[in-house]
Structures are given as structure tokens and as C-alpha cells.
Amino acid sequence: MDSSKNWLDVLSDGQMFRDWFSLIAHFFLGIAYLTFLSAGFAFALGTSVILVGIPLLLFMLATTRVLARIDRQIMCALLNSATPEVTDDVDARGANLGERLGMYLGSGTTWRSLIYLLLKLPIGIMTISAAFLILPLLALEVLVLAPLTIDMRLISVRMLHWVAVGTHKFSGVLLPTSKSAGKRKRDTGRLETVEADPGYFIDDDGEIAAYKRFS
């Protein structure tokens, strides 16, 4: 967070509100993921003995990977943070049902994505608690003390941002990322640029959009 910001900047740029919302979102997304995964896998495994559940099991495995990737993009957009792409280690083009199922079951990304989503709720319980613990100090500093020119150097805003970004990075360790992502070099004659990790942001239409950073 930019140390030159004052309380007017904090109230107008929206980052404080996005940080706080991200901590709340962990909890509610965690409930949604746990409910969906528990019901989906239970039904798929329960009906797999009559073969009906095999396609559903394949669907659940593929959806788990997609959900983990989308969740990372959502949090990245909220926090305006660069995030490496999640490794896609399965190429199911031309494979039949059994081969696809074997690929997803044997993929480390599948299981790490599942762990990532299942840990979302316990992490969310901690983040929602932190959000409401910081909220009184945040309201006191930004809405009361700052207009009175009592400078606390936005400590509560910084705490909120540190917790939000720290949680995002900690949970992201669970997902495998491509080592080459964000490090592809492009030869442009005399100039050479290195493409950094992709970033995401929420555009004016409320959709998640990606942008590229170069160094």
C-alpha cells in the first residue's frame, strides 16, 4: 500500500473496501464450495456403481480445477494483485471417458485444487473474524480521527490490507503454478521485455478483466 495516501485517498480509491470485502468473501465462498463439493462428490460416488456417476465424477473433478482457478482470479481482481496462472497439466483432447477420468485422477493440480477449495471455509472463518475485529479501529481512524487531523498513519487500513493480501498469497501456495508463467521473453531486436505475472481487475461493467505487465 502506498505510504503517501491520506484518509481522503483511502475513502475514494476503494481499495480499503475491496480488502475488507475479500476477507468476508472467503467465508461465504467457503460455505458455497463445501456444500457444492460435498453434495456433488457424494452423489457421483454413490451412483458410480451403476455407471451413472462416472460422467458426473469426471464433471466434478474438472469443475474443481476450474473453480479453484476462478477463485484465484476473483481474489486477484479484488486485491489488484498479480497472480501466476494455475498449471493446467491435463490435455484431454481426443481422450475417451475412461482416459479423461484417469488423467484428472492422476493430476496433482486436481487434488491441490480440491484441498484449496475445502480449506476455504476454515480460512474464511479466520478472515471474517479478522475483518470484524479490525472494523471498529478502521471506522474510528478513518471516519473520526482522520477528519480531526489526528494522524495514526492509517495503521488500521494497512493492517486490513496486510491480512487480505497475506491470506491471498498463503492460500495460493496450495495451487501449482507454471514456473515459466510470466517469464516469457520476447525478442524485439534491440529491445527485450519480460512479461510479468498477469494481473486482474474489475472493470466498469463489474467483470474480471486481465492485463499484462512488462518489466
Side-chain angles (χ1 to χ4, degrees):
M1 177 172 290
D2 188 354
S3 59
S4 64
K5 284 185 176 182
N6 57 36
W7 66 276
L8 287 175
D9 296 327
V10 169
L11 288 176
S12 60
D13 68 6
Q15 186 61 54
M16 176 186 68
F17 302 102
R18 292 195 296 270
D19 290 341
W20 194 82
F21 180 76
S22 73
L23 297 181
I24 303 298
H26 281 292
F27 177 73
F28 290 103
L29 287 173
I31 293 177
Y33 295 149
L34 181 62
T35 303
F36 172 75
L37 293 173
S38 299
F41 278 110
F43 185 77
L45 293 174
T47 56
S48 61
V49 294
I50 56 174
L51 302 182
V52 176
I54 299 299
L56 180 57
L57 179 59
L58 178 60
F59 169 78
M60 290 300 302
L61 292 172
T63 302
T64 296
R65 297 163 61 96
V66 173
L67 279 177
R69 185 180 298 112
I70 292 176
D71 182 87
R72 286 284 287 167
Q73 292 180 359
I74 290 173
M75 291 300 161
C76 180
L78 283 173
L79 300 173
N80 193 25
S81 172
T83 302
E85 292 289 345
V86 177
T87 302
D88 187 2
D89 57 355
V90 171
D91 185 1
R93 290 174 295 182
N96 58 37
L97 180 64
E99 291 171 339
R100 288 172 183 260
L101 184 60
M103 290 178 184
Y104 283 121
L105 288 174
S107 168
T109 300
T110 301
W111 298 109
R112 292 175 68 170
S113 297
L114 180 60
I115 294 173
Y116 172 87
L117 295 175
L118 291 178
L119 287 178
K120 194 77 174 179
L121 182 56
I123 290 176
I125 293 174
M126 292 185 289
T127 58
I128 197 172
S129 301
F132 283 104
L133 286 174
I134 297 174
L135 185 60
L137 178 60
L138 183 67
L140 175 66
E141 181 180 7
V142 175
L143 300 179
V144 178
L145 298 181
L148 295 175
T149 67
I150 300 176
D151 187 11
M152 291 181 60
R153 299 186 179 276
L154 299 175
I155 184 61
S156 61
V157 178
R158 296 177 188 277
M159 288 172 55
L160 187 68
H161 187 69
W162 292 336
V163 172
V165 173
T167 302
H168 171 64
K169 291 183 177 181
F170 171 75
S171 59
V173 172
L174 296 170
L175 295 177
T177 57
S178 175
K179 293 181 179 179
S180 60
K183 295 183 179 179
R184 296 184 298 275
K185 294 186 177 179
R186 185 175 60 184
D187 186 6
T188 57
R190 297 176 60 184
L191 296 178
E192 186 180 65
T193 59
V194 179
E195 185 179 336
D197 292 335
Y200 299 91
F201 65 97
I202 300 177
D203 61 19
D204 295 335
D205 296 326
E207 298 180 352
I208 298 176
Y211 63 89
K212 295 180 179 178
R213 298 176 178 178
F214 295 93
S215 58

